[in-house]
Amino acid sequence: MLSAIAARKAAQALQAVERIPELERGTSPSPQPEDLESVSPTKTSTKRKFSAKNFQLVKKRKKTKQVKPRYYEEPRPDTSKEQLGGDVILVDSDTSGSGESDLDGSKLLQIDPQIVDSSESEDEKSVSDAPGPRLPIKTSTPAPSYSLTTCPLDDTTVFPLSREETQALSPLAGAATLVALPHGERISLLGAYAFTILKGSVTICGTTLPPSRTPHRSYAPRSSPVPVIEGLAISESAVTLEELPSRLHMLMETQSTLVLFQELSTGIEGLGRICKVFQNVFEPSRRQNNMGDSSLGIPGVYVLSTQTKDIQPFLLPAAWERSLSSVLPNIDRAIHLVRGPKKSGKSTFARVLVNRLLMSYQKVAYLECDLGQSEFTPAGMVALNIVDAFIFGPPFTHPTIPFRAHYIGATTPRSSPSHYLEAIHSLIQSYRIDVQTPDFSPERGDDSRISDHIPLVVNTMGWTKGLGADLNRKIEDIVQPTDIFEFEPSSPKPLDYPDSGVETTYHSLTPITPSILSQNFTPADHRSLNILSYLHATFPPPSSKDPLTQVTAIHWSTALPLCAQPPWEVACTPTFQRVFLTGAGVEDVVSPELGRVLNGALVALVICDPDTLDHDAITTIPTEPNSPAPLIPYVQGSSPPAPATSCCHGLALIRGVSTPTQSDPSRIHVLTPLPGVVLAQANVLVKGELEIPVWGMLDFTHENGGEGNGVPYLRWGKGDGLGGEKRRVRRNLMRKGQM
């Protein structure tokens, strides 16, 4: 940015140039000898006597002006004043010793009078307010906005379908619209919808989908990058000419891709009423009301035209594409590990990698080692999931019952690193024995993908320093991956594991740049939403035909808050044989306090081998003084169940614990999304450090969202007394040694 002095001299120089004709005619304007002597391009008469002393001063002044060209002095191939246009200031060349000058020996500066100085200093404000031309200031040009939708949506590309026409093309019900997507054109939608590729092929989230009659579910909220669907020129078709309506037969002769978009009524939009941070994320914001368009005629689905501050598209980096293209199907052994620091894109890349592998395999195993940002389960669990459907949505849109999992009870393994490693070792053993080469693989019609081998994707945690780095190295030793995808690599040398006999291939990835979405929605917000999405989800019953079938929620019950939903009433004995507490400070919890600890707690439902439990050490909560009746089994300071002999099926919320008496055993009210057959198998409860988010305790059906309506253990407003106000932390103070 130009200084005030430079701007002032430029204005005075231009005024001097305008007064030159008057000087030639003999007029005497207000004398400014110093400015005319240094800037004027024409020899003028002056009353100052020219002496050797004055010559030395002028020469010295000219030497001080020998500076490098500023950023606004752009070189011109032609120095003619007529071709430059606009206002021009002629400045004497430093090599000229006389007052006479011409265009060949002068520097030319072009003036842009429309530039406005944005300085906030008082001196520069006074100069900017003065009339006169200004020197051009180089500003950073904003990047052009990315067009999310380039396909023209008119009568030639959009065809709404009737109910009868939809039933002939898709098994799903609801409003449907057929879109003819030309080659290279793209469309981006906001909301929850299902789409089916009837003819041609598309790319979405770095995955190429061939034509198929299988509908794909897509969840596109504003809190995550929005998927962009782009058409490809492939002539394959999943429908015949007779199955299409007669008015659409001409579309089979074109090169356009036929995509069937349908309404997806799942109730997931109601999660915004529960967690106010994500309210209306499936709808355009107020600044985007003029951009969001529901021209497809599908309720809850909006067409996005351009990228804005609140909406970011999902764009696959070139380095990611090169690494993904190098992964080839391997029927012998395929274990892919993703590692890197936090906020680098590990979870996003692992999701894209799963979709890429699903293009060649019917099923993909996913081992979640990140306790804080889990993909398919709530936080605090290491889980092994079996994925058999493409993933197009953030983690809270696909909560899943894991194939096998273990509950750590915290968002970091800092307090129990050995238990964390034992749980991962147990899951790897389960994968190698039960999942890697399945004994039973049902036929899927014309599906030509690999079915007798299931690859594994391992997502590690973002804690890469100190103890976290040691744990990640031990995880690699346990997993023995064939491919390692690393963000910001520390060693470019490929690794190999002699025990496995397979050389490890190393892939280097570039971290993604944080977007504005990471500022609006923090990891803690996403973690709270994942837990609430899990507790409000509705899971279908597990399949008895294929034990490796993925059980994912397809509906969310958000009409009632958790405090109004009917719970399961479970007798503590003999249903639960043991209660474990994990985390810091749990060794101080005595048996009489266990009822208060479990009331309103988030617990894990665990199946444990009864022979591994130490029944002799169990103590119980006394009901009344001198009452020995056994009620809730608990051992103070006991370690959690061993991963080798236990398995966690999911989480539950204990909404209340009854007061035990000698005649009536203790009962608890349990809220869990798990089916009743899974709940009946649990015989152990594990309470960790995680608690239910505050949003889950509120009754959002009230006018003010439940705030201040007598919620237990919550107090609204400012606190009273010393220390009641919010603590202010100042991080701008330096120590004496830092000054």
Side-chain angles (χ1 to χ4, degrees):
M1 181 177 293
L2 291 177
S3 63
I5 299 176
R8 188 185 303 110
K9 284 194 173 184
Q12 294 175 355
L14 185 59
Q15 295 176 4
V17 173
E18 294 175 352
R19 287 194 297 268
I20 289 174
E22 299 179 358
L23 294 175
E24 293 178 352
R25 291 194 300 267
T27 58
S28 57
S30 57
Q32 294 181 356
E34 296 182 0
D35 295 336
L36 292 177
E37 184 179 5
S38 59
V39 180
S40 174
T42 307
K43 183 177 180 179
T44 58
S45 60
T46 175
K47 295 181 179 180
R48 178 182 296 179
K49 294 183 179 181
F50 192 80
S51 61
K53 183 177 180 180
N54 293 339
F55 176 79
Q56 292 178 359
L57 293 176
V58 173
K59 188 175 182 181
K60 183 177 180 180
R61 186 186 306 137
K62 288 186 177 180
K63 283 185 178 181
T64 58
K65 288 183 177 297
Q66 291 181 358
V67 295
K68 295 182 179 180
R70 300 292 296 274
Y71 54 84
Y72 53 84
E73 296 181 355
E74 300 180 357
R76 302 289 182 178
D78 191 358
T79 59
S80 61
K81 182 176 180 181
E82 291 78 5
Q83 296 183 4
L84 288 176
D87 297 329
V88 177
I89 295 179
L90 304 180
V91 184
D92 289 349
S93 175
D94 295 339
T95 59
S96 177
S98 61
E100 297 180 357
S101 62
D102 52 3
L103 292 177
D104 295 334
S106 302
K107 297 180 182 179
L108 301 180
L109 297 182
Q110 188 173 5
I111 303 300
D112 187 0
Q114 296 180 357
I115 298 297
V116 179
D117 193 1
S118 60
S119 175
E120 296 182 359
S121 62
E122 295 180 359
D123 296 338
E124 295 182 2
K125 281 185 178 180
S126 61
V127 176
S128 63
D129 295 338
R134 309 175 191 275
L135 292 175
I137 300 175
K138 184 177 180 181
T139 57
S140 59
T141 304
S145 59
Y146 180 81
S147 297
L148 300 178
T149 300
T150 60
C151 175
L153 302 178
D154 50 23
D155 296 340
T156 61
T157 57
V158 178
F159 305 93
L161 301 181
S162 62
R163 180 180 301 177
E164 293 75 13
E165 295 173 343
T166 304
Q167 292 177 355
L169 299 176
S170 174
L172 300 179
T177 299
L178 185 66
V179 176
L181 193 62
H183 170 61
E185 303 294 339
R186 53 183 177 264
I187 183 174
S188 183
L189 304 178
L190 179 68
Y193 57 93
F195 66 98
T196 307
I197 313 300
L198 300 180
K199 175 180 172 293
S201 181
V202 301
T203 58
I204 174 175
C205 297
T207 307
T208 302
L209 299 179
S212 174
R213 300 296 292 270
T214 303
H216 304 284
R217 295 173 176 263
S218 178
Y219 301 91
R222 289 186 287 107
S223 58
S224 301
V226 180
V228 180
I229 303 176
E230 183 175 353
L232 301 178
I234 297 180
S235 59
E236 298 180 2
S237 177
V239 295
T240 60
L241 188 64
E242 291 76 12
E243 292 176 329
L244 283 177
S246 58
R247 60 188 178 91
L248 303 178
H249 285 178
M250 76 289 188
L251 297 177
M252 298 295 293
E253 302 176 357
T254 63
Q255 295 296 327
S256 299
T257 302
L258 301 184
V259 185
L260 178 64
F261 293 98
Q262 293 182 263
E263 178 185 5
L264 193 61
S265 300
T266 60
I268 193 173
E269 298 84 0
L271 293 176
R273 300 178 56 200
I274 303 171
C275 188
K276 300 298 183 180
V277 180
F278 296 86
Q279 190 172 12
N280 299 328
V281 293
F282 286 95
E283 300 176 2
S285 61
R286 279 180 286 183
R287 70 177 63 180
Q288 300 159 348
N289 285 335
N290 55 346
M291 301 180 60
D293 184 17
S294 58
S295 58
L296 293 184
I298 303 177
V301 179
Y302 306 88
V303 179
L304 301 176
S305 57
T306 58
Q307 175 183 351
T308 60
K309 183 178 180 181
D310 295 339
I311 292 183
Q312 301 293 328
F314 183 91
L315 301 178
L316 193 67
W320 292 19
E321 178 63 34
R322 290 192 297 267
S323 300
L324 293 171
S325 301
S326 63
V327 178
L328 300 177
N330 189 349
I331 59 176
D332 296 331
R333 184 171 180 267
I335 300 179
H336 311 279
L337 185 139
V338 183
R339 68 184 182 187
K342 60 181 181 179
K343 296 182 180 180
S344 60
K346 296 191 316 302
S347 300
T348 303
F349 179 81
R351 191 185 312 136
V352 177
L353 180 59
V354 169
N355 289 337
R356 280 294 183 94
L357 293 174
L358 285 175
M359 295 170 56
S360 304
Y361 299 90
Q362 292 186 3
K363 296 179 181 179
V364 176
Y366 189 93
L367 177 59
E368 183 61 78
C369 301
D370 192 350
L371 298 178
Q373 302 293 332
S374 300
E375 182 69 29
F376 297 96
T377 58
M381 299 173 62
V382 287
L384 179 64
N385 296 273
I386 309 298
V387 186
D388 57 6
F390 291 98
I391 310 168
F392 302 124
F396 77 92
T397 62
H398 45 262
T400 306
I401 299 178
F403 174 77
R404 193 174 181 88
H406 299 289
Y407 188 64
I408 307 301
T411 58
T412 173
R414 187 187 304 272
S415 59
S416 56
S418 59
H419 181 57
Y420 174 73
L421 292 177
E422 290 177 4
I424 294 177
H425 186 271
S426 175
L427 296 179
I428 287 295
Q429 294 296 329
S430 299
Y431 165 75
R432 292 170 178 168
I433 297 174
D434 303 328
V435 179
Q436 187 172 10
T437 55
D439 299 333
F440 176 75
S441 57
E443 298 294 335
R444 292 195 177 188
D446 56 350
D447 195 347
S448 59
R449 295 178 298 173
I450 301 174
S451 61
D452 55 354
H453 180 79
I454 299 179
L456 176 65
V457 175
V458 182
N459 183 31
T460 59
M461 59 181 176
W463 185 15
T464 57
K465 296 181 180 180
L467 178 60
D470 296 338
L471 293 177
N472 284 332
R473 283 193 293 266
K474 292 181 180 180
I475 291 175
E476 295 178 17
D477 296 337
I478 296 173
V479 173
Q480 297 182 358
T482 58
D483 295 88
I484 293 181
F485 301 88
E486 182 175 7
F487 294 84
E488 296 181 357
S490 56
S491 59
K493 298 180 180 180
L495 306 176
D496 56 350
Y497 297 91
D499 298 338
S500 61
V502 179
E503 182 180 356
T504 300
T505 306
Y506 180 88
H507 305 271
S508 177
L509 302 174
T510 56
I512 58 176
T513 57
S515 63
I516 190 64
L517 301 178
S518 60
Q519 302 177 7
N520 298 337
F521 308 97
T522 63
D525 295 334
H526 286 283
R527 189 159 46 243
S528 300
L529 183 62
N530 289 349
I531 296 178
L532 296 176
S533 175
Y534 178 84
L535 294 177
H536 285 270
T538 302
F539 292 99
S543 175
S544 58
K545 297 181 180 180
D546 186 5
L548 299 180
T549 301
Q550 178 184 4
V551 183
T552 305
I554 57 177
H555 189 268
W556 284 262
S557 177
T558 57
L560 296 176
L562 296 177
C563 58
Q565 294 183 8
W568 295 89
E569 185 178 272
V570 182
C572 294
T573 54
T575 304
F576 300 113
Q577 302 179 8
R578 199 68 178 270
V579 175
F580 293 92
L581 302 181
T582 62
V586 297
E587 62 276 359
D588 298 331
V589 178
V590 295
S591 297
E593 299 177 354
L594 185 61
R596 301 186 184 94
V597 173
L598 293 180
N599 192 12
L602 197 66
V603 298
L605 302 175
V606 180
I607 301 176
C608 186
D609 187 2
D611 298 334
T612 61
L613 299 176
D614 189 6
H615 297 280
D616 298 335
I618 294 180
T619 59
T620 59
I621 296 179
T623 56
E624 296 177 358
N626 302 326
S627 177
L631 295 173
I632 302 179
Y634 167 70
V635 175
Q636 182 178 356
S638 59
S639 301
T645 59
S646 62
C647 177
C648 176
H649 279 288
L651 301 184
L653 174 64
I654 298 182
R655 212 175 66 179
V657 180
S658 65
T659 303
T661 61
Q662 189 172 6
S663 59
D664 187 13
S666 178
R667 299 178 181 272
I668 59 177
H669 286 180
V670 178
L671 282 176
T672 179
L674 299 178
V677 292
V678 179
L679 176 61
Q681 299 174 1
N683 60 351
V684 170
L685 295 179
V686 179
K687 166 71 172 65
E689 300 177 6
L690 295 179
E691 300 291 347
I692 182 175
V694 177
W695 300 109
M697 303 179 185
L698 306 179
D699 186 0
F700 56 84
T701 58
H702 288 275
E703 296 180 358
N704 58 347
E707 299 182 3
N709 289 330
V711 181
Y713 313 111
L714 290 179
R715 183 176 180 177
W716 303 97
K718 297 183 178 180
D720 300 331
L722 186 63
E725 298 293 337
K726 183 179 179 180
R727 184 180 179 184
R728 298 181 59 185
V729 180
R730 297 190 62 182
R731 304 185 184 276
N732 59 342
L733 301 179
M734 296 187 299
R735 298 179 181 272
K736 186 176 181 180
Q738 297 175 343
M739 297 181 179

